[in-house]
Amino acid sequence: MTTSMPATPFTDPAPAQRLERAATALTAHGFTVEILDDAAAARTRVKELIPEGASVFTGASETLRLSGIEEDINAGGRYQAIKPRVLAMDRVTGADDIRRLLAGPDVIVGSVAAVTETGSLVVASGSGSQLPGYAGGAARAIWIVGAQKVVPDLDTALRRVEDHCLPLESARTREAYGWPSAVNRLLILNGEHQAGRGTVLLLREAIGF
């Protein structure tokens, strides 16, 4: 006789002990981790972490949008914001320049689909535009992660991507663009070899997908 396991409530914020386990594991893998109360605290911290005048690319993220961080970076005038610049460029004649701008900013800011208690970050993407910067192209990377994204292990993280994030993102892209999203590219960051490059701001509250 087998007993079916209940579905993981991917919208529930992880309790403090699970956040601490994830933070400890990520730190052991070379990431800089800060546990913050909420998105407002993360918004303030991001301003402190990024020097004025830096070139900054924001990966597509409901967390950034809902927290106000996306607007701070792309419309605040404090940084050399890459996303507005790219959106104003011709996608055909400027393709090479767009690719280079996205791949190597001073700082890339975004979120992830899941963070494991074993110390990995999991990023799912349809276009892959943010992945080069996350993987190492950007001089610094900052991820803001809601507490509901903390999962026990990589298997659960991948299930969260398919069962939770993808349906929500597809609903968003259908409304915005008229077509569903897809997990065309998947990046798993198991460690950061360069001290201080990758910062995870782990929140005690749930935000984003």
Side-chain angles (χ1 to χ4, degrees), residues 5-203:
M5 296 295 292
T8 301
F10 289 129
T11 57
D12 293 350
Q17 62 269 28
R18 292 184 59 204
L19 294 178
E20 292 289 350
R21 279 199 295 269
T24 298
L26 287 167
T27 301
H29 293 174
F31 297 98
T32 299
V33 185
E34 300 179 25
I35 298 179
L36 304 176
D37 282 338
D38 51 30
R43 189 176 184 179
T44 298
R45 189 69 181 114
V46 166
K47 290 178 182 177
E48 295 169 347
L49 289 170
I50 305 176
E52 186 172 354
S55 64
V56 186
F57 176 46
T58 54
S61 164
E62 281 295 283
T63 299
L64 296 194
R65 184 184 69 82
L66 293 169
S67 65
I69 293 170
E70 181 178 64
E71 184 176 4
D72 289 344
I73 292 172
N74 293 325
R78 178 181 172 85
Y79 311 109
Q80 298 178 49
I82 289 176
K83 181 169 284 185
R85 180 178 172 185
V86 164
L87 291 175
M89 295 171 70
D90 186 280
R91 291 284 173 169
V92 177
T93 60
D96 286 341
D97 289 333
I98 290 172
R99 174 173 51 81
R100 294 186 185 99
L101 283 168
L102 299 184
D106 295 330
V107 184
I108 186 166
V109 183
S111 190
V112 300
V115 55
T116 72
E117 293 178 47
T118 53
S120 296
L121 302 175
V122 177
V123 184
S125 178
S127 69
S129 62
Q130 76 277 47
L131 300 189
Y134 284 173
R140 292 190 64 190
I142 301 171
W143 297 279
I144 298 91
V145 184
Q148 84 281 14
K149 298 183 179 183
V150 175
V151 297
D153 50 38
L154 191 55
D155 285 344
T156 311
L158 297 178
R159 184 156 54 85
R160 188 178 196 279
V161 169
E162 293 288 344
D163 296 349
H164 179 74
C165 300
L166 180 57
L168 291 173
E169 177 62 7
S170 282
R172 187 193 71 81
T173 58
R174 280 193 181 97
E175 182 176 350
Y177 312 117
W179 58 76
S181 186
V183 182
N184 291 326
R185 293 163 175 82
L186 193 68
L187 176 66
I188 300 173
L189 298 166
N190 289 321
E192 179 56 70
H193 76 281
Q194 183 180 342
R197 179 190 174 269
T199 298
V200 181
L201 303 181
L202 194 54
L203 309 186

